[in-house]
């Protein structure tokens, strides 16, 4: 089983739409969770951390379900500038990967005019 | 504020040639430093990480090596490149804390390496 699994997409949505990305992780001892955004041929950039209680940053809402080992990202009122690949990232756990980030392969979003 | 630099931005090297990629961080002290590789269509693969000067941990056995000669300098090297070494090499840093609850990493602009 992959450690961090995401739907690769692509998700093609019209401007103004609401889109949701899901992610599952395999290590139940994981401690921290993040969403990163990566534009084409650029470095990943931290979009937001994901807290147990859920958190919102403008049009972006992140949720964490530890029992189901599931993370989500909701983008409301999509903008053209939201087009990118969104990486689900998990920190920590047990064993050799305790202090490392594990990245999903990303979900590609294209917002269409 | 903290900034992270990588160079060169792009590199084309023949098989069997040596490699040296450099990463420096400004505006912070004693950061954790990381080297990742992202091959085309693949996720990020952690290659090396360092918690201090001269302290290097390798995640994947390969023909690459890393060194940290100064607190905010991290170097990725190879004596002989392979075709499979092509990819997007990213350096990252994270703040050091006594806790590991929140450990965001911040990436440099990357080096795109093509081995021919």
């Amino acid at each position: 089983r992959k450690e961090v699994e995401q739907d690769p997409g692509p998700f093609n949505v019209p401007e103004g739409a609401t889109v949701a990305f899901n992610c599952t992780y395999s290590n139940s001892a994981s401690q921290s969770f993040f969403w990163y955004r990566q534009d084409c041929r650029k470095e990943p950039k931290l979009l937001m951390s994901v807290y147990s209680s859920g958190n919102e940053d403008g049009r972006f809402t992140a949720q964490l379900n530890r029992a189901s080992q599931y993370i989500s990202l909701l983008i409301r009122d999509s903008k053209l500038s939201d087009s990118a690949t969104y990486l689900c990232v998990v920190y920590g756990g047990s064993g050799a990967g305790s202090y490392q980030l594990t990245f999903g392969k990303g979900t590609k979003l294209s917002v269409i005019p | 504020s903290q900034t992270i630099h990588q160079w060169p931005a792009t590199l084309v090297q023949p098989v069997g040639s040596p490699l040296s990629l450099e990463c420096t961080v400004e505006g912070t002290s004693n950061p954790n430093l990381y080297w990742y590789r992202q091959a085309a269509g693949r996720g990020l693969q952690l290659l090396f990480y360092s918690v201090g000067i001269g302290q290097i941990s390798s995640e994947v056995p390969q023909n690459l090596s890393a060194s940290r000669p100064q607190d905010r300098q991290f170097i990725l090297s190879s004596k002989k490149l392979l075709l499979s070494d092509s990819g997007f090499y990213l350096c990252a840093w994270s703040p050091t804390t006594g806790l590991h609850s929140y450990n965001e990493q911040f990436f440099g602009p990357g080096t795109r390496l093509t081995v021919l």
Side-chain angles (χ1 to χ4, degrees), chain B residues 33-78:
Chain B
L33 295 173
Y34 309 83
W35 277 112
Y36 289 87
R37 176 172 58 205
Q38 188 175 37
R42 295 188 156 192
L44 272 75
Q45 179 187 35
L46 178 64
L47 302 175
F48 300 94
Y49 69 94
S50 171
V51 299
I53 296 174
Q55 301 178 62
I56 309 293
S57 296
S58 174
E59 288 295 301
V60 182
Q62 58 214 321
N63 68 320
L64 299 171
S65 62
S67 62
R68 185 170 177 175
Q70 299 181 49
D71 180 44
R72 289 169 288 178
Q73 184 185 28
F74 205 21
I75 297 171
L76 183 69
S77 303
S78 174

Side-chain angles (χ1 to χ4, degrees), chain A residues 31-34 36 38 40-46 49-51 87 91 96 98-101 103-105, chain B residues 10 34 36 38 41-44 46 49 59 88 90 99-110 112:
Chain A
Q31 300 163 23
S32 305
F33 309 88
F34 311 95
Y36 277 72
Q38 186 173 23
C40 187
R41 300 179 70 81
K42 297 288 188 181
E43 75 274 23
K45 292 185 178 177
L46 179 64
S49 302
V50 187
Y51 304 126
L87 306 175
Y91 172 76
S98 296
Y99 305 124
Q100 309 307 328
L101 292 184
F103 289 78
K105 291 186 178 180
Chain B
T10 60
Y34 309 83
Y36 289 87
Q38 188 175 37
R42 295 188 156 192
L44 272 75
L46 178 64
Y49 69 94
E59 288 295 301
F88 190 34
L90 291 153
L99 303 173
H100 295 283
S101 296
Y102 299 104
N103 201 351
E104 300 96 338
Q105 291 180 16
F106 303 95
F107 288 83
R112 199 160 296 277

Side-chain angles (χ1 to χ4, degrees), chain A residues 12 14 28 36 39 46 59-61 73 77-78 89 94:
Chain A
N12 299 314
S28 60
Y36 277 72
D39 292 290
L46 179 64
R59 297 181 292 108
F60 299 83
T61 301
L73 177 69
D77 188 23
S78 298
V89 184
S94 57

Side-chain angles (χ1 to χ4, degrees), chain A residues 7 9 20 25-26 44 47 53 63 78 80-81 91 96 98-99 102 112:
Chain A
D7 182 340
Y25 60 96
S26 61
L47 179 65
S53 56
Q63 298 268 340
S78 298
L80 294 176
S81 57
Y91 172 76
S98 296
Y99 305 124
T102 302
I112 304 163

